[in-house]
Amino acid sequence: MPAENERRQRLLQLAAGAVFLAIVAVAVLIVVSSGGSGGDTNLEEKAEVNRLLSGIPQKGLVLGDPKAPVELVEFGDLQCPVCKGYSEEILPPIIEGKVKRGQVKIDFRNFTIIGPQSVPAGAAAIAAGEQGRGWNYVELFYRNQGAEDSGYADDAFLKAIAEGAGVKNIARWEKERQKLTPEVEKTTAEARRLSFSGTPSFAVKGPHSNGLEPLGTPGSTGAMEEAIEKAS
Amino acid sequence: MSRPTSFPSEWTLQRLIAFVAALGVGVATYIAIADSGGGAPVCIAGGSGCQTVADSSYSHLLGVNVAVFGIVGYLLLLASAFLVGDAARFGGFVVALGGFGFSVYLTYIEVFKIEAICQWCVASAVLMTILFLLSATRLIGYAGAEGELAADAG
């Protein structure tokens, strides 16, 4: 059956070619995705951020049950090293305790004082919040922060943080973040109205607080929890 | 390139492909439905790996959940299992090869980029690997043969 053998030979040659092409395609995909341009290869502590925030509702830049009786507001600058320290040490016990239990929600508001890159960084966080990944963005940014106002927070860095934070529609995020500078300016003005001058500054609002009460910068988790208790 | 003699019949391979592809449709559909509700597949052994993978930007391609591409691939493989002739053998092989290659890429992303493992994605990758092996066996064993003769063989 020479015709059958010929057809068989041709098909198997085609299959071998397809296997070769598939190997090349997968290798190219892996090389491209491991490249540094806008990728998130080098992001630190992504798994830790995911673990910390797992199962906690987020809306915009508010973390926690929307019906939580107490609201803790953080006025922060993503480029601020002290804010990074709060994000890594002071706030996690509150997030894992009172926030997870639905007793308090934390609202991150931009208070941009460090440098010009703080504004697009803050707008990028709000845009991530519009896709339900605002707090992942804020936390991941803090944990990958560079030297203060050294110019590291460029477009590629912001995009890498967005990808690492799990923002699903990057094109939409890119488009929206360009329009959100007024939001950043608005919360910065609000912080100044509350007489804050440094970051992070906190305020609390609850059934027993006098509206949005400025707390300043409580120096420990315990001091923060005490203020939350008082407002509850 | 003659045909090996100890091959299972093509009909047996077709039935196996249909069975595994149907399982794949189920797994991929579950992942897609869980994601469309804004959630994630439930990791049976616990942990937050499925949530982490579903939340990552890699779970979508061009705005479409990658599980949807999986459903399409498994359905094409299911169709190839019910068809006879070289077009079905070669078409099935190419789809399974593409699916297998994509699974290798996604597994790399899970391990090295997202740093989390989703059991449902692993299950899909295993099913696609089996389908690739079955489709390759079908093509190597029966390429060039008439459909009816191959169905009677073995």
Side-chain angles (χ1 to χ4, degrees):
Chain A
M1 288 183 284
E4 182 188 324
N5 277 340
E6 199 179 308
R7 201 165 66 230
R8 174 177 169 73
Q9 200 162 344
R10 206 176 54 239
L11 274 174
L12 293 180
Q13 282 169 348
L14 275 173
V19 169
F20 175 74
L21 283 178
I23 291 170
V24 170
V26 171
V28 167
L29 271 176
I30 289 176
V31 168
V32 167
S33 66
S34 65
S37 60
D40 58 356
T41 316
N42 299 317
L43 290 184
E44 298 287 335
E45 298 191 53
K46 199 164 50 177
E48 172 56 22
V49 168
N50 286 329
R51 189 201 61 74
L52 178 70
L53 302 176
S54 175
I56 305 177
Q58 291 186 42
K59 191 172 182 205
L61 286 175
V62 179
L63 178 73
D65 185 348
K67 292 178 191 154
V70 180
E71 181 178 18
L72 179 69
V73 182
E74 175 188 353
F75 288 93
D77 185 318
L78 291 172
Q79 291 203 93
C80 147
V82 182
C83 303
K84 172 184 164 73
Y86 270 71
S87 150
E88 290 172 350
E89 285 160 33
I90 307 274
L91 288 176
I94 296 172
I95 293 172
E96 285 173 339
K98 289 182 184 297
V99 173
K100 272 199 175 160
R101 290 198 295 271
Q103 295 166 321
V104 65
K105 57 190 173 194
I106 308 182
D107 184 355
F108 179 87
R109 296 183 193 172
N110 287 288
F111 180 19
T112 52
I113 57 169
I114 301 290
Q117 285 186 328
S118 298
V119 176
I126 301 172
E130 292 187 2
Q131 294 187 47
R133 310 300 293 171
W135 265 78
N136 296 71
Y137 193 97
V138 169
E139 290 287 323
L140 203 58
F141 193 113
Y142 278 147
R143 283 156 206 256
N144 289 277
Q145 209 180 58
E148 189 173 346
D149 202 25
S150 59
Y152 70 90
D154 56 10
D155 285 346
F157 179 82
L158 300 185
K159 188 179 173 201
I161 296 289
E163 287 175 343
V167 173
K168 285 184 181 168
N169 191 334
I170 292 291
R172 192 183 126 203
W173 169 83
E174 283 280 15
K175 206 171 150 190
E176 286 176 349
R177 77 184 181 91
Q178 309 292 342
K179 303 175 191 161
L180 289 165
T181 302
E183 287 295 312
V184 178
E185 288 166 348
K186 198 170 113 188
T187 50
T188 296
E190 183 189 9
R192 294 199 193 285
R193 272 200 309 278
L194 289 165
S195 304
F196 291 142
S197 58
T199 51
S201 289
F202 291 85
V204 71
K205 187 178 176 185
H208 293 100
S209 73
N210 186 16
L212 186 62
E213 253 178 43
L215 297 176
T217 309
S220 68
T221 303
M224 199 90 81
E225 287 193 327
E226 202 178 303
I228 293 167
E229 291 293 331
K230 260 175 78 180
S232 300
Chain B
M1 280 192 270
S2 62
R3 186 177 304 127
T5 51
S6 59
F7 262 64
S9 75
E10 186 174 24
W11 180 232
T12 303
L13 289 169
Q14 284 173 267
R15 276 185 290 184
L16 284 170
I17 290 169
F19 177 71
V20 180
L23 285 179
V25 170
V27 169
T29 304
Y30 171 63
I31 297 172
I33 290 174
D35 181 82
S36 67
V42 176
C43 273
I44 295 164
S48 59
C50 294
Q51 181 80 49
T52 304
V53 172
D55 286 346
S56 81
S57 57
Y58 297 103
S59 67
H60 286 66
L61 195 62
L62 306 171
V64 178
N65 189 307
V66 291
V68 174
F69 295 103
I71 295 171
V72 172
Y74 285 121
L75 286 174
L76 288 172
L77 285 164
L78 193 59
S80 79
F82 289 104
L83 299 171
V84 291
D86 280 338
R89 291 171 194 132
F90 188 71
F93 171 78
V94 169
V95 172
L97 175 65
F100 174 65
F102 197 48
S103 295
V104 169
Y105 166 70
L106 291 177
T107 304
Y108 161 80
I109 291 291
E110 276 188 274
V111 173
F112 294 103
K113 304 282 282 183
I114 308 174
E115 297 169 7
I117 294 287
C118 171
Q119 295 158 12
W120 291 96
C121 308
V122 173
S124 179
V126 168
L127 292 175
M128 201 48 100
T129 305
I130 294 169
L131 283 167
F132 170 62
L133 294 174
L134 289 171
S135 300
T137 306
R138 183 186 179 193
L139 182 71
I140 293 168
Y142 297 97
E146 293 299 328
E148 298 77 19
L149 290 175
D152 292 342

